mmCIF file of all heavy atoms in Angstrom:
data_model
loop_
_atom_site.group_PDB
_atom_site.id
_atom_site.type_symbol
_atom_site.label_atom_id
_atom_site.label_comp_id
_atom_site.label_asym_id
_atom_site.label_seq_id
_atom_site.Cartn_x
_atom_site.Cartn_y
_atom_site.Cartn_z
ATOM 1 N N GLY J 114 12.497 6.308 9.522
ATOM 2 C CA GLY J 114 13.059 7.607 9.918
ATOM 3 C C GLY J 114 13.348 7.524 11.403
ATOM 4 O O GLY J 114 12.528 6.960 12.176
ATOM 5 N N SER J 115 14.432 8.029 11.815
ATOM 6 C CA SER J 115 14.800 7.907 13.239
ATOM 7 C C SER J 115 13.836 8.690 14.132
ATOM 8 O O SER J 115 13.274 9.664 13.770
ATOM 9 C CB SER J 115 16.221 8.347 13.490
ATOM 10 O OG SER J 115 16.342 9.739 13.195
ATOM 11 N N LEU J 116 13.613 8.177 15.304
ATOM 12 C CA LEU J 116 12.822 8.855 16.281
ATOM 13 C C LEU J 116 13.313 8.539 17.710
ATOM 14 O O LEU J 116 13.962 7.592 17.937
ATOM 15 C CB LEU J 116 11.377 8.409 16.154
ATOM 16 C CG LEU J 116 10.992 6.980 16.534
ATOM 17 C CD1 LEU J 116 10.449 6.818 17.946
ATOM 18 C CD2 LEU J 116 9.945 6.483 15.598
ATOM 19 N N VAL J 117 13.006 9.453 18.615
ATOM 20 C CA VAL J 117 13.311 9.200 19.994
ATOM 21 C C VAL J 117 12.003 8.806 20.694
ATOM 22 O O VAL J 117 11.113 9.630 20.888
ATOM 23 C CB VAL J 117 13.857 10.516 20.669
ATOM 24 C CG1 VAL J 117 14.150 10.256 22.161
ATOM 25 C CG2 VAL J 117 15.118 10.952 19.956
ATOM 26 N N ALA J 118 11.942 7.511 21.004
ATOM 27 C CA ALA J 118 10.633 6.943 21.538
ATOM 28 C C ALA J 118 10.044 7.600 22.699
ATOM 29 O O ALA J 118 8.827 7.863 22.772
ATOM 30 C CB ALA J 118 10.843 5.447 21.757
ATOM 31 N N ARG J 119 10.931 7.991 23.643
ATOM 32 C CA ARG J 119 10.343 8.625 24.916
ATOM 33 C C ARG J 119 9.709 9.966 24.643
ATOM 34 O O ARG J 119 8.991 10.446 25.492
ATOM 35 C CB ARG J 119 11.446 8.687 25.951
ATOM 36 C CG ARG J 119 12.588 9.633 25.631
ATOM 37 C CD ARG J 119 13.642 9.603 26.729
ATOM 38 N NE ARG J 119 14.889 10.258 26.284
ATOM 39 C CZ ARG J 119 15.821 9.720 25.530
ATOM 40 N NH1 ARG J 119 15.721 8.451 25.147
ATOM 41 N NH2 ARG J 119 16.879 10.360 25.142
ATOM 42 N N GLU J 120 9.929 10.528 23.437
ATOM 43 C CA GLU J 120 9.245 11.825 23.142
ATOM 44 C C GLU J 120 7.757 11.588 22.789
ATOM 45 O O GLU J 120 6.984 12.514 22.725
ATOM 46 C CB GLU J 120 9.964 12.492 21.989
ATOM 47 C CG GLU J 120 11.326 12.961 22.345
ATOM 48 C CD GLU J 120 12.064 13.625 21.201
ATOM 49 O OE1 GLU J 120 11.561 13.680 20.069
ATOM 50 O OE2 GLU J 120 13.230 14.056 21.414
ATOM 51 N N PHE J 121 7.429 10.314 22.535
ATOM 52 C CA PHE J 121 6.072 9.966 22.144
ATOM 53 C C PHE J 121 5.269 9.181 23.113
ATOM 54 O O PHE J 121 4.120 9.258 23.263
ATOM 55 C CB PHE J 121 6.068 9.220 20.811
ATOM 56 C CG PHE J 121 6.659 9.980 19.693
ATOM 57 C CD1 PHE J 121 7.984 9.864 19.314
ATOM 58 C CD2 PHE J 121 5.870 10.847 18.992
ATOM 59 C CE1 PHE J 121 8.508 10.631 18.312
ATOM 60 C CE2 PHE J 121 6.348 11.661 18.016
ATOM 61 C CZ PHE J 121 7.711 11.539 17.626
ATOM 62 N N SER J 122 6.008 8.235 23.901
ATOM 63 C CA SER J 122 5.304 7.358 24.778
ATOM 64 C C SER J 122 6.347 6.637 25.689
ATOM 65 O O SER J 122 7.456 6.497 25.340
ATOM 66 C CB SER J 122 4.570 6.321 23.927
ATOM 67 O OG SER J 122 4.021 5.314 24.736
ATOM 68 N N ASN J 123 5.790 6.209 26.790
ATOM 69 C CA ASN J 123 6.617 5.425 27.704
ATOM 70 C C ASN J 123 6.448 3.896 27.432
ATOM 71 O O ASN J 123 6.998 3.102 28.125
ATOM 72 C CB ASN J 123 6.278 5.683 29.161
ATOM 73 C CG ASN J 123 6.789 7.066 29.589
ATOM 74 O OD1 ASN J 123 7.815 7.538 29.073
ATOM 75 N ND2 ASN J 123 6.072 7.717 30.422
ATOM 76 N N ASN J 124 5.589 3.617 26.491
ATOM 77 C CA ASN J 124 5.267 2.210 26.074
ATOM 78 C C ASN J 124 6.583 1.541 25.557
ATOM 79 O O ASN J 124 7.277 2.154 24.691
ATOM 80 C CB ASN J 124 4.162 2.208 25.029
ATOM 81 C CG ASN J 124 3.707 0.821 24.719
ATOM 82 O OD1 ASN J 124 4.406 -0.163 24.757
ATOM 83 N ND2 ASN J 124 2.386 0.703 24.464
ATOM 84 N N LYS J 125 6.846 0.347 26.076
ATOM 85 C CA LYS J 125 8.116 -0.279 25.653
ATOM 86 C C LYS J 125 8.210 -0.618 24.189
ATOM 87 O O LYS J 125 9.302 -0.665 23.568
ATOM 88 C CB LYS J 125 8.238 -1.611 26.471
ATOM 89 C CG LYS J 125 8.572 -1.393 27.903
ATOM 90 C CD LYS J 125 9.895 -0.753 28.084
ATOM 91 C CE LYS J 125 10.214 -0.617 29.610
ATOM 92 N NZ LYS J 125 11.370 0.245 29.790
ATOM 93 N N ILE J 126 7.060 -0.816 23.500
ATOM 94 C CA ILE J 126 7.090 -1.130 22.096
ATOM 95 C C ILE J 126 7.632 0.044 21.301
ATOM 96 O O ILE J 126 8.407 -0.147 20.322
ATOM 97 C CB ILE J 126 5.704 -1.511 21.522
ATOM 98 C CG1 ILE J 126 5.856 -2.144 20.150
ATOM 99 C CG2 ILE J 126 4.730 -0.396 21.532
ATOM 100 C CD1 ILE J 126 6.396 -3.467 20.014
ATOM 101 N N PHE J 127 7.372 1.283 21.685
ATOM 102 C CA PHE J 127 7.954 2.423 21.056
ATOM 103 C C PHE J 127 9.473 2.515 21.267
ATOM 104 O O PHE J 127 10.205 3.003 20.391
ATOM 105 C CB PHE J 127 7.304 3.731 21.525
ATOM 106 C CG PHE J 127 5.977 3.929 20.865
ATOM 107 C CD1 PHE J 127 4.786 3.637 21.579
ATOM 108 C CD2 PHE J 127 5.846 4.459 19.606
ATOM 109 C CE1 PHE J 127 3.555 3.828 21.070
ATOM 110 C CE2 PHE J 127 4.653 4.638 19.027
ATOM 111 C CZ PHE J 127 3.451 4.374 19.737
ATOM 112 N N ASP J 128 9.951 2.026 22.448
ATOM 113 C CA ASP J 128 11.392 2.033 22.699
ATOM 114 C C ASP J 128 12.095 1.103 21.709
ATOM 115 O O ASP J 128 13.137 1.450 21.167
ATOM 116 C CB ASP J 128 11.616 1.584 24.146
ATOM 117 C CG ASP J 128 13.049 1.735 24.555
ATOM 118 O OD1 ASP J 128 13.655 2.805 24.244
ATOM 119 O OD2 ASP J 128 13.650 0.774 25.109
ATOM 120 N N ILE J 129 11.458 -0.053 21.392
ATOM 121 C CA ILE J 129 12.022 -1.006 20.458
ATOM 122 C C ILE J 129 11.998 -0.369 19.059
ATOM 123 O O ILE J 129 13.028 -0.391 18.345
ATOM 124 C CB ILE J 129 11.230 -2.343 20.473
ATOM 125 C CG1 ILE J 129 11.395 -3.036 21.788
ATOM 126 C CG2 ILE J 129 11.604 -3.219 19.285
ATOM 127 C CD1 ILE J 129 10.437 -4.156 22.064
ATOM 128 N N VAL J 130 10.905 0.245 18.704
ATOM 129 C CA VAL J 130 10.804 0.904 17.350
ATOM 130 C C VAL J 130 11.861 1.962 17.229
ATOM 131 O O VAL J 130 12.549 2.085 16.222
ATOM 132 C CB VAL J 130 9.392 1.454 17.151
ATOM 133 C CG1 VAL J 130 9.342 2.354 15.875
ATOM 134 C CG2 VAL J 130 8.341 0.323 16.999
ATOM 135 N N GLY J 131 12.070 2.780 18.310
ATOM 136 C CA GLY J 131 13.062 3.801 18.281
ATOM 137 C C GLY J 131 14.493 3.303 18.060
ATOM 138 O O GLY J 131 15.232 3.837 17.310
ATOM 139 N N ARG J 132 14.772 2.170 18.798
ATOM 140 C CA ARG J 132 16.121 1.581 18.625
ATOM 141 C C ARG J 132 16.312 1.027 17.214
ATOM 142 O O ARG J 132 17.384 1.186 16.621
ATOM 143 C CB ARG J 132 16.337 0.463 19.662
ATOM 144 C CG ARG J 132 16.746 1.074 20.992
ATOM 145 C CD ARG J 132 17.140 0.000 22.045
ATOM 146 N NE ARG J 132 15.868 -0.396 22.725
ATOM 147 C CZ ARG J 132 15.520 -1.617 22.968
ATOM 148 N NH1 ARG J 132 16.308 -2.627 22.671
ATOM 149 N NH2 ARG J 132 14.367 -1.865 23.584
ATOM 150 N N LEU J 133 15.286 0.411 16.648
ATOM 151 C CA LEU J 133 15.397 -0.122 15.291
ATOM 152 C C LEU J 133 15.467 0.941 14.221
ATOM 153 O O LEU J 133 15.999 0.694 13.124
ATOM 154 C CB LEU J 133 14.207 -1.078 15.018
ATOM 155 C CG LEU J 133 14.186 -2.382 15.838
ATOM 156 C CD1 LEU J 133 12.898 -3.153 15.571
ATOM 157 C CD2 LEU J 133 15.402 -3.271 15.511
ATOM 158 N N SER J 134 14.937 2.100 14.502
ATOM 159 C CA SER J 134 14.895 3.161 13.456
ATOM 160 C C SER J 134 16.124 4.086 13.563
ATOM 161 O O SER J 134 16.316 4.955 12.745
ATOM 162 C CB SER J 134 13.605 3.981 13.601
ATOM 163 O OG SER J 134 13.619 4.760 14.800
ATOM 164 N N GLU J 135 16.915 3.899 14.614
ATOM 165 C CA GLU J 135 18.064 4.749 14.833
ATOM 166 C C GLU J 135 18.960 4.799 13.590
ATOM 167 O O GLU J 135 19.331 3.783 12.978
ATOM 168 C CB GLU J 135 18.888 4.227 16.018
ATOM 169 C CG GLU J 135 19.838 5.240 16.608
ATOM 170 C CD GLU J 135 20.447 4.728 17.933
ATOM 171 O OE1 GLU J 135 19.646 4.393 18.842
ATOM 172 O OE2 GLU J 135 21.657 4.532 17.932
#
Side-chain angles (χ1 to χ4, degrees):
S115 64
L116 67 98
V117 178
R119 67 183 165 276
E120 293 177 0
F121 297 97
S122 172
N123 290 328
N124 189 324
K125 290 292 183 196
I126 191 71
F127 282 100
D128 189 45
I129 294 167
V130 169
R132 280 187 271 136
L133 293 174
S134 70
E135 197 171 301

